[in-house]
Amino acid sequence: MSFAIPNFLPAAPEIVVLTMACVVLMVDLFIKKEQRFFTYLLSQATILLALLATLWVASDATELTFNNGYIRDSMGDWLKIFILIITATVFLYSRQYLKDRNIDKGEYYVLGLFAMLGMMIMVSAWNFLNLYLGLELMSLSLYAMVAFDRNSAKASEAAMKYFVLGAIASGMLLYGMSILYGLTGTLNIADVQQQLTTVPEGLDIAVVFGLVFMLVGIAFKLGAVPFHMWLPDVYHGAPTSVTLFIGSAPKIAAFAMVMRLLVSGLGPLHEHWQTMLIILAVLSIGIGNIVAIAQTNIKRMLAYSTISHVGFILLGILAGTKVGFASAMFYTIIYAFMSLGAFGLIVILSHKGFEAENLEDFKGLNDRSPWLAAMMLLILFSMAGVPPTVGFYAKLVVLQAIVNIDLVWLAVYAVLLSVIGAFYYLRVIKLMYFDKPDTQQYIKTSIDVSAVISVNGLLMLALGLFPGALMAICLAAMN
Amino acid sequence: MVLAAVGVITVRNPVHAALFLVLTFFTAAALWLLMEAEFLGIVLVLVYVGAVMVLFLFVVMMLDINVAKMREGFMRLLPLGILVAVVMVVEMLIVVGAKTFRIDPPAPSPLEVSNTKALGNVLYTDYVYAFEIAAAILLVAMIAAISLTHRRRAGTKHQRPSDQIRVKRNDRVRLVKMKSEKK
């Protein structure tokens, strides 16, 4: 039999990450605990190399390789770049936190790199099988990271819940995929799409049956209501450095999964999944925003706020237009950065033996550190969607996309609920600026962390003033 | 197979339940063989019956699980469980029906084609990417399992070979001069 060697070049970023993750793993075995900084540096170097590799192979053309199971297109390139930047920032924020809690083992970085690899695989999967494997690689690493602090009962509980629910979700997704495979006889996303445009009479209900299972799996992974139960518990229970990771980069990967599965693969079924996504989005925005008001733990509050943001992302996708997808991509990227900043600040404010996880811990932050308070202010304003921060623009483009397909009621509903949602963001700001602090303890931050958090916060403002460039990227990626 | 599966969840003795599960796997393997998927049938027997179930039996026999305690509340929840299951099955049948999935059985393949060989042909060629990812997943599982369970216990006794070799006579043997006792 003849076999053509696949073109490995487009997959260069993945190959670099896999190789380097193994190197980091081995190196970490041979160095002493005091030299853990070296593992950290090596992980950052890996990300930098992968970033260079991504930029090196990036082009406007679309390439398929590995028996058409792998796709490299401009959407994939951009999403990968953002995933890499976010992971690097996560490592940077969490280093001190891990050290203070005595869990700064090399495995944190190795598992982080593997999770990142899973996300990159998901982003450029062009085959149900590869997509599923990428998802599992990511989830498995994340489960382990949640359980990382073995002395914390809360973390173990969260990991257990995450694991069981995640396994059910994967099962659902796999079941949906196998039904569609049975009906179309192919796993390749482009072929599935082609097969589904001409569904024989009587089989369409079976196709929708498969779609439902797939959608349940996706909704679980995204954390959309009514499949959101794991989210608050996991965000709350996991070490904050891990929450920081789970809350940011995987959302981008999940967005890519939705784009590949629903939009590319099941594109012909748009009218079916549009209705389902409307239900998911309405519930997510409603429950996310309303329940968040009742939370006193800021990690839980941000978890519910995640749910409502996921609703917004779904709004952009369900529009089903090019502008809609681009706005959803814009929203996802912005959301990942907002959540990176918000959880990053929780990590920074925590120190040895103390978690800044309750709302009270943010009291009078302005007196203790005006600069950090200002950064938190920008990030929270952005989450609430207050102009001129970028969160406003992100919400605006998504709503525009919805209005353009004549779903005005949905847009009005989303706006009303975000006004309700603004309350709990503003409450944190009130605590930071108008309440007296309980302690006057000095907040110590190292120079690299404060530099990056400043960039992170100011980015919210800068992108809000000049959103054109990023939006242009998103629009170009949808071609 | 259905009978065996029912057996798994109804018998009281966990060892019997595990054995019923073995029977379920065997019948499933037989189904695969009937569908001319020899490789899947053989792998099912080898992996599940051979490895997974034996491990499972070990665990069941080693841990003395208190069955009575686990069964508490079973009878109370049973009607609810059955109701939910029946409703789900009926719903699915109404929505989809058996007719929808009625696809003609595949034509029997020519005798000389071995599907083990066919699988082998594509596994490292067309599906090499998926194969590599699966390998990475297994590696992650290993790292995770080790880092989550491996801990250095205080108070365990180790041998230190280097110290043993480096030992000198003077460290261990002390010559003591004693005066000879007078009789």
Side-chain angles (χ1 to χ4, degrees), chain A residues 128 174-187 192 195 203 206-207, chain B residues 100-104:
Chain A
F128 283 168
L174 205 56
Y175 194 43
M177 283 177 181
S178 65
I179 289 177
L180 281 172
Y181 175 62
L183 292 168
T184 56
T186 172
L187 282 172
V192 168
Q195 291 274 326
L203 267 185
V207 171
Chain B
T100 340
F101 284 103
R102 186 154 299 161
I103 300 163
D104 296 327

Side-chain angles (χ1 to χ4, degrees), chain A residues 1 3 14 18 22 25 66-67 70 105 107 110-111 114 121 129-130 133 136-137 140-141 144 147-148 150 179 182 202-203 205-206 209 213, chain B residues 92 95-96 100-101 103 121-122 124-134 136-141 143-144 146-152:
Chain A
M1 72 166 273
F3 163 64
E14 279 85 351
L18 179 59
C22 295
L25 181 66
F66 291 115
N67 193 30
Y70 181 97
K105 284 179 282 188
E107 284 89 356
V110 175
L111 288 173
F114 271 113
I121 290 169
L129 189 64
N130 293 343
L133 286 171
E136 280 305 286
L137 183 58
L140 207 61
S141 315
F148 214 69
R150 286 185 316 203
I179 289 177
L203 267 185
I205 190 102
F209 195 62
F213 276 103
Chain B
M92 282 188 196
V95 173
V96 182
T100 340
F101 284 103
I103 300 163
N121 270 339
V122 290
Y124 297 108
T125 53
D126 290 351
Y127 291 95
V128 67
Y129 184 57
F131 183 79
E132 292 293 336
I133 306 171
I137 292 179
L138 288 180
L139 179 64
V140 166
I143 299 171
I146 293 173
S147 73
L148 291 183
T149 52
H150 175 81
R151 59 177 83 202
R152 206 152 270 166

Side-chain angles (χ1 to χ4, degrees), chain A residues 76-253:
Chain A
D77 288 338
W78 280 110
L79 290 181
K80 267 184 216 167
I81 289 172
F82 286 116
I83 287 175
L84 288 166
I85 295 175
I86 286 171
T87 315
T89 321
V90 166
F91 285 174
L92 186 95
Y93 285 160
S94 41
R95 193 169 62 85
Q96 189 60 39
Y97 180 92
L98 293 172
K99 214 164 161 188
D100 287 348
R101 271 155 199 73
N102 222 356
I103 45 174
D104 62 331
K105 284 179 282 188
E107 284 89 356
Y108 175 84
Y109 301 112
V110 175
L111 288 173
L113 287 180
F114 271 113
M116 191 181 80
L117 176 66
M119 291 173 213
M120 292 164 72
I121 290 169
M122 278 164 79
V123 165
S124 52
W126 199 235
N127 179 315
F128 283 168
L129 189 64
N130 293 343
L131 192 105
Y132 175 75
L133 286 171
L135 177 68
E136 280 305 286
L137 183 58
M138 178 190 91
S139 319
L140 207 61
S141 315
L142 291 181
Y143 304 146
M145 285 172 88
V146 172
F148 214 69
D149 188 3
R150 286 185 316 203
N151 299 323
S152 147
K154 235 172 24 183
S156 310
E157 185 198 329
M160 208 57 213
K161 273 183 190 158
Y162 192 20
F163 180 68
V164 172
L165 287 178
I168 294 176
S170 300
M172 290 280 186
L173 189 69
L174 205 56
Y175 194 43
M177 283 177 181
S178 65
I179 289 177
L180 281 172
Y181 175 62
L183 292 168
T184 56
T186 172
L187 282 172
N188 187 290
I189 287 175
D191 293 348
V192 168
Q193 184 186 20
Q194 209 200 349
Q195 291 274 326
L196 287 182
T197 41
T198 53
V199 181
E201 196 62 26
L203 267 185
D204 51 348
I205 190 102
V207 171
V208 176
F209 195 62
L211 164 71
V212 169
F213 276 103
M214 222 135 142
L215 206 66
V216 170
I218 292 172
F220 250 117
K221 293 291 172 194
L222 270 174
V225 179
F227 309 104
H228 66 291
M229 297 304 179
W230 59 273
L231 217 105
D233 286 336
V234 171
Y235 274 37
H236 182 195
T240 313
S241 57
V242 178
T243 312
L244 169 71
F245 193 36
I246 297 179
S248 49
K251 296 289 175 252
I252 296 184

Side-chain angles (χ1 to χ4, degrees), chain A residues 313-325:
Chain A
I313 294 170
L314 291 179
L315 282 186
I317 294 170
L318 69 86
T321 54
K322 208 185 90 179
V323 180
F325 298 142

Side-chain angles (χ1 to χ4, degrees), chain B residues 5 19 22 26 32 53 62 69 73 107 133 138 141-142 148 150 160 165 172 178:
Chain B
L19 289 175
V22 172
F26 259 114
W32 282 124
M53 283 318 298
M62 303 248 269
K69 206 166 186 184
I133 306 171
L138 288 180
M142 218 157 74
L148 291 183
H150 175 81
R160 295 210 193 112
I165 294 166
R172 297 282 165 90
M178 291 179 82

Side-chain angles (χ1 to χ4, degrees), chain A residues 328-393:
Chain A
M329 181 171 162
F330 186 86
Y331 201 103
T332 314
I333 293 169
I334 293 307
Y335 171 69
F337 277 107
M338 291 193 293
S339 128
L340 188 67
F343 284 112
L345 271 163
I346 303 178
V347 168
I348 292 172
L349 294 181
S350 306
H351 48 82
K352 201 158 195 158
F354 169 74
E355 290 282 329
E357 57 175 15
N358 288 317
L359 289 178
E360 279 74 45
D361 300 331
F362 281 79
K363 258 188 197 166
L365 184 63
N366 188 38
D367 291 351
R368 292 167 67 200
S369 167
W371 182 248
L372 286 182
M375 291 303 118
M376 191 68 177
L377 173 81
L378 283 178
I379 290 162
L380 287 174
F381 267 160
S382 181
M383 281 193 163
V386 178
T389 51
V390 67
F392 169 72
Y393 186 79

